[in-house]
Amino acid sequence: MTEPTLRIGIIGTGAIGGFYGAMLAKAGFDVHFLLRSEFATVAAHGLQVNSAVHGALHQAPVHAYARAEEMPPCDWLLVGAKTTSNAALAPAIIAAAAPGAKVLLMQNGLGVEEALRPLLPDSLHLLGGLCYICVHRAAPGVVVHQALGAVHVGYHSGPATAQACVQVAEQGAGLFRAAGIDSLAMPDLAQARWQKLVWNAPYNGLSVLLDASTTPLMADAASRALVEGVMAEVVQGAAACGYPIPAGYAEKMFASTRYMPDYQPSMYLDFREQRAMELEAIYARPLEAARAAGCEMPRLQALYEALQFIDRRNLNEGAVHG
């Protein structure tokens, strides 16, 4: 069992960072939270996680910081912020990292590690974490966990040898398992990221385009057909890029969504709150990779182009009214 003596830093304490950070703190790990707008609230009142799986959890007091430079050196850094802010996060990661720290990007999409790697010292290990979870932030310092929660961890790059890469990924998975969360070490991070896109690409974008959460999307025959069509294209794109999706995986994701609690995907929440949507990681990079491999994904392309228009208009309106 992983010893709960490691110091863990949470970079971006929103829904993802708040949930997993609180669970790790409950398990006895030394967890430190970096926040922006919610710093004063969390510093004063702690973190509240209302989980349909684990029950109510109130972590107070917590180690909360407004600046990464004030954090102690952390052995693991869990990045829960959106991919749209990765370049700006690099200095915070460097400031909070202990020598040889492991940095785990708990983000969606393709190419997120490749985009951040050049901005980090070679001495830091970089890993990806795929979070299969229904969670959202309800208020400052308050996270609602509706369902699921598993984390798949894969090694991307750093000073580890080929054999040690597996051990580092397993260590990361062990952290979550020690906190009562299902977690697997993945031998191929790129494969895992394509698999996560099978769900993320259709449901995130269509929720915005059709202004609907998962239950309405699954209740209508036309929207279900759109979901299945985008899923099929992602499967084709993954195969063309050398990452074949296991047979029946897309069908399993589709069927399981029928039985999930009604859920608003993260992109839908970003749209509603007039924040930039993660279009580069979830759409642009997969489209580019598939096209380079000779595979066109017309449904995904059309969805991406529509979302670009919506995103530009939404951000412009937010700037006008902000």
Side-chain angles (χ1 to χ4, degrees):
M1 184 182 201
T2 304
E3 292 293 332
T5 54
L6 295 172
R7 182 177 289 148
I8 301 172
I10 307 297
I11 306 295
T13 308
I16 292 292
F19 172 76
Y20 290 109
M23 291 294 291
L24 289 163
K26 179 187 176 185
F29 288 96
D30 182 17
V31 184
H32 298 257
F33 297 86
L34 180 65
L35 304 108
R36 291 187 299 178
S37 60
E38 299 185 17
F39 167 74
T41 299
V42 172
H45 305 291
L47 278 169
Q48 177 69 39
V49 176
N50 299 320
S51 172
V53 178
H54 305 283
L57 169 61
H58 185 215
Q59 282 291 328
V62 300
H63 300 299
Y65 307 85
R67 299 176 64 249
E69 292 77 9
E70 298 169 353
M71 298 174 71
C74 296
D75 304 296
W76 279 84
L77 289 169
L78 277 52
V79 180
K82 296 294 178 64
T83 58
T84 50
S85 61
N86 272 5
L89 286 175
I93 292 170
I94 294 169
K102 288 86 174 177
V103 181
L104 179 64
L105 301 186
M106 305 178 75
Q107 300 174 322
N108 291 321
L110 290 187
V112 293
E113 291 84 14
E114 287 82 355
L116 188 60
R117 178 76 264 181
L119 306 177
L120 299 179
D122 294 341
S123 60
L124 296 182
H125 302 268
L126 187 59
L127 300 93
L130 289 305
C131 305
Y132 292 84
I133 188 169
C134 296
V135 66
H136 66 274
R137 177 183 146 282
V142 180
V143 175
V144 175
H145 172 220
Q146 295 173 263
L148 308 175
V151 182
H152 292 177
V153 179
Y155 194 91
H156 179 268
S157 58
T161 64
Q163 183 177 0
C165 289
V166 178
Q167 296 172 346
V168 174
E170 180 56 38
Q171 183 187 15
L175 297 178
F176 296 105
R177 289 197 293 266
I181 296 165
D182 290 338
S183 188
L184 293 174
M186 304 297 287
D188 191 325
L189 178 58
Q191 173 81 36
R193 287 206 166 277
W194 271 106
Q195 286 186 197
K196 185 74 186 298
L197 278 171
V198 172
W199 194 95
N200 274 324
Y203 288 104
N204 271 287
L206 289 173
S207 69
V208 174
L209 191 63
L210 302 179
D211 191 18
S213 52
T214 55
T215 296
L217 285 175
M218 296 304 291
D220 183 83
S223 55
R224 287 199 306 272
L226 287 172
V227 168
E228 290 181 301
V230 174
M231 280 186 166
E233 286 192 349
V234 173
V235 170
Q236 292 167 2
C241 292
Y243 304 106
I245 305 297
Y249 182 84
E251 292 79 6
K252 180 181 177 182
M253 291 293 99
F254 182 81
S256 66
T257 308
R258 286 179 176 271
Y259 302 104
M260 276 175 30
D262 189 27
Y263 180 61
Q264 297 179 350
S266 59
M267 190 172 288
Y268 187 55
L269 296 176
D270 289 338
F271 163 71
R272 289 184 58 184
E273 297 183 26
Q274 293 185 308
R275 297 188 298 251
M277 296 188 287
E278 296 181 287
L279 303 184
E280 177 73 17
I282 296 178
Y283 296 101
R285 291 176 192 154
L287 283 163
E288 181 181 358
R291 188 172 296 117
C295 178
E296 295 294 333
M297 298 188 283
R299 291 183 182 88
L300 198 70
Q301 181 69 42
L303 182 55
Y304 173 51
E305 291 172 2
L307 290 168
Q308 285 182 295
F309 172 83
I310 292 170
D311 194 45
R312 285 192 294 267
R313 184 177 63 182
N314 202 36
L315 293 176
N316 287 336
E317 290 177 354
V320 169
H321 299 298

